[in-house]
Coordinates of all heavy atoms in Angstrom, one line a residue:
G199 N 2.3 45.2 10.5 CA 3.5 44.6 9.9 C 4.0 43.4 10.7 O 4.5 42.5 10.1
T200 N 3.9 43.5 12.0 CA 4.4 42.4 12.8 C 3.4 41.2 12.7 O 3.9 40.0 12.6 CB 4.5 42.8 14.3 OG1 5.3 43.9 14.4 CG2 5.0 41.7 15.2
R201 N 2.1 41.4 12.6 CA 1.2 40.3 12.4 C 1.4 39.6 11.1 O 1.3 38.4 11.0 CB -0.3 40.9 12.4 CG -0.7 41.4 13.8 CD -2.2 41.4 13.9 NE -2.9 42.2 12.9 CZ -3.2 43.5 12.9 NH1 -2.8 44.2 14.0 NH2 -3.8 44.0 12.0
T202 N 1.9 40.3 10.0 CA 2.2 39.6 8.8 C 3.4 38.7 9.0 O 3.4 37.6 8.4 CB 2.5 40.6 7.7 OG1 3.6 41.4 8.0 CG2 1.3 41.5 7.4
R203 N 4.3 39.1 9.8 CA 5.5 38.2 10.1 C 5.0 37.0 10.9 O 5.6 35.9 10.7 CB 6.6 38.9 10.8 CG 7.5 39.7 9.9 CD 8.7 40.2 10.6 NE 8.4 41.2 11.5 CZ 9.0 41.4 12.7 NH1 9.9 40.6 13.1 NH2 8.6 42.4 13.5
V204 N 4.1 37.1 11.8 CA 3.6 36.0 12.5 C 2.9 35.0 11.6 O 3.1 33.8 11.7 CB 2.6 36.5 13.6 CG1 1.9 35.3 14.3 CG2 3.2 37.4 14.6
E205 N 2.1 35.5 10.6 CA 1.5 34.6 9.7 C 2.5 33.9 8.8 O 2.4 32.7 8.5 CB 0.5 35.3 8.8 CG -0.3 34.4 7.9 CD -1.3 35.1 7.0 OE1 -1.0 36.1 6.5 OE2 -2.4 34.5 6.8
Y206 N 3.6 34.6 8.4 CA 4.7 34.0 7.7 C 5.4 32.9 8.5 O 5.7 31.9 8.0 CB 5.7 35.1 7.4 CG 6.6 34.9 6.2 CD1 6.3 35.4 4.9 CD2 7.7 34.1 6.3 CE1 7.2 35.2 3.9 CE2 8.6 33.9 5.3 CZ 8.3 34.4 4.0 OH 9.2 34.2 3.0
A207 N 5.6 33.2 9.8 CA 6.2 32.2 10.7 C 5.3 31.0 10.8 O 5.9 29.8 10.8 CB 6.4 32.8 12.1
R208 N 4.0 31.1 10.9 CA 3.2 30.0 10.9 C 3.3 29.1 9.7 O 3.3 27.9 9.7 CB 1.7 30.4 11.2 CG 0.7 29.3 11.4 CD -0.6 29.8 11.7 NE -1.2 30.6 10.7 CZ -2.3 31.3 10.8 NH1 -3.0 31.3 12.0 NH2 -2.8 32.0 9.9
A209 N 3.4 29.8 8.5 CA 3.5 29.0 7.3 C 4.8 28.3 7.2 O 4.9 27.1 6.8 CB 3.4 30.0 6.1
L210 N 5.9 28.9 7.8 CA 7.2 28.2 7.8 C 7.2 27.0 8.8 O 7.9 26.0 8.6 CB 8.3 29.2 8.2 CG 8.7 30.2 7.2 CD1 9.8 31.1 7.8 CD2 9.1 29.6 5.9
A211 N 6.4 27.1 9.8 CA 6.3 26.0 10.8 C 5.7 24.8 10.2 O 5.8 23.7 10.7 CB 5.4 26.5 12.0
M212 N 5.0 24.9 9.0 CA 4.5 23.7 8.3 C 5.6 22.9 7.6 O 5.2 21.9 7.0 CB 3.4 24.2 7.3 CG 2.2 24.9 7.9 SD 1.1 25.4 6.5 CE -0.1 26.3 7.5
R213 N 6.8 23.4 7.7 CA 7.9 22.7 7.0 C 7.6 22.6 5.5 O 7.7 21.5 4.9 CB 8.2 21.3 7.6 CG 8.6 21.3 9.0 CD 8.7 19.8 9.5 NE 8.9 19.7 11.0 CZ 8.8 18.6 11.6 NH1 8.6 17.5 11.0 NH2 9.0 18.6 13.0
P214 N 7.3 23.7 4.9 CA 6.9 23.7 3.5 C 8.0 23.4 2.5 O 9.2 23.9 2.7 CB 6.3 25.1 3.2 CG 7.1 25.9 4.1 CD 7.3 25.1 5.4
K215 N 7.7 22.7 1.4 CA 8.6 22.7 0.3 C 8.4 23.9 -0.6 O 9.4 24.4 -1.2 CB 8.3 21.4 -0.6 CG 8.5 20.1 0.1 CD 8.0 19.0 -0.7 CE 8.0 17.7 0.0 NZ 7.5 16.6 -0.8
V216 N 7.2 24.4 -0.6 CA 6.8 25.6 -1.3 C 5.9 26.5 -0.5 O 5.0 25.9 0.2 CB 6.2 25.3 -2.7 CG1 4.9 24.4 -2.5 CG2 5.8 26.5 -3.5
I217 N 6.1 27.8 -0.5 CA 5.2 28.7 0.2 C 4.5 29.6 -0.8 O 5.1 30.1 -1.7 CB 6.0 29.5 1.2 CG1 5.1 30.3 2.1 CG2 7.1 30.4 0.6 CD1 5.8 30.9 3.4
L218 N 3.2 29.7 -0.7 CA 2.4 30.5 -1.5 C 2.1 31.8 -0.8 O 1.5 31.8 0.3 CB 1.0 29.8 -1.8 CG 1.1 28.4 -2.3 CD1 -0.3 27.8 -2.5 CD2 1.9 28.2 -3.5
L219 N 2.6 32.9 -1.3 CA 2.4 34.2 -0.7 C 1.4 35.1 -1.5 O 1.6 35.4 -2.6 CB 3.8 35.0 -0.6 CG 4.9 34.2 0.1 CD1 6.2 35.0 0.0 CD2 4.6 33.9 1.5
D220 N 0.3 35.3 -0.8 CA -0.8 36.1 -1.5 C -0.8 37.5 -1.1 O -1.2 37.9 0.1 CB -2.2 35.4 -1.1 CG -3.3 35.9 -2.0 OD1 -3.1 36.8 -2.8 OD2 -4.4 35.5 -1.8
E221 N -0.3 38.4 -1.9 CA -0.2 39.8 -1.7 C 0.5 40.2 -0.4 O -0.1 40.9 0.5 CB -1.6 40.5 -1.7 CG -2.4 40.3 -3.0 CD -2.0 41.3 -4.1 OE1 -1.0 42.1 -3.8 OE2 -2.6 41.2 -5.2
P222 N 1.7 39.7 -0.1 CA 2.3 39.9 1.2 C 2.7 41.3 1.5 O 2.8 41.7 2.6 CB 3.5 39.0 1.1 CG 3.9 38.9 -0.3 CD 2.5 38.9 -1.0
A223 N 2.8 42.2 0.4 CA 3.1 43.6 0.7 C 1.9 44.5 0.9 O 2.1 45.7 1.2 CB 3.9 44.1 -0.5
A224 N 0.7 43.9 0.8 CA -0.5 44.7 1.0 C -0.5 45.4 2.4 O -0.3 44.7 3.4 CB -1.7 43.9 0.8
G225 N -0.6 46.7 2.5 CA -0.7 47.4 3.8 C 0.6 47.7 4.4 O 0.6 48.3 5.5
L226 N 1.7 47.3 3.8 CA 3.0 47.6 4.3 C 3.6 49.0 3.8 O 3.3 49.4 2.7 CB 4.0 46.5 4.0 CG 3.7 45.1 4.4 CD1 4.8 44.1 4.0 CD2 3.4 45.0 5.9
N227 N 4.4 49.6 4.7 CA 5.0 50.9 4.2 C 6.3 50.5 3.4 O 6.6 49.4 3.3 CB 5.3 51.8 5.4 CG 6.2 51.2 6.4 OD1 7.2 50.5 6.1 ND2 6.0 51.4 7.7
H228 N 6.9 51.6 2.9 CA 8.1 51.4 2.0 C 9.2 50.6 2.7 O 9.7 49.6 2.1 CB 8.6 52.7 1.6 CG 9.8 52.6 0.7 ND1 9.7 52.3 -0.6 CD2 11.2 52.8 1.0 CE1 10.9 52.2 -1.2 NE2 11.8 52.6 -0.2
E229 N 9.5 50.9 3.9 CA 10.6 50.2 4.6 C 10.2 48.7 4.9 O 11.0 47.8 4.8 CB 10.9 50.9 6.0 CG 12.0 50.2 6.8 CD 13.3 50.1 6.1 OE1 13.6 50.9 5.2 OE2 14.0 49.1 6.3

């Protein structure tokens, strides 16, 4: 779960206008 946030952070570091999220909930628990 923390690694997914790291990848998300890396995408935000690109200063995106749009972010493409490919199955971001895969492997995550309910919380």
Side-chain angles (χ1 to χ4, degrees):
T200 305
R201 295 202 304 272
T202 63
R203 276 190 291 145
V204 175
E205 186 177 40
Y206 201 100
R208 185 174 60 188
L210 290 180
M212 297 177 185
R213 300 177 188 166
K215 299 172 184 176
V216 56
I217 188 168
L218 313 179
L219 303 178
D220 191 0
E221 301 280 3
L226 302 183
N227 61 39
H228 178 76
E229 179 58 30

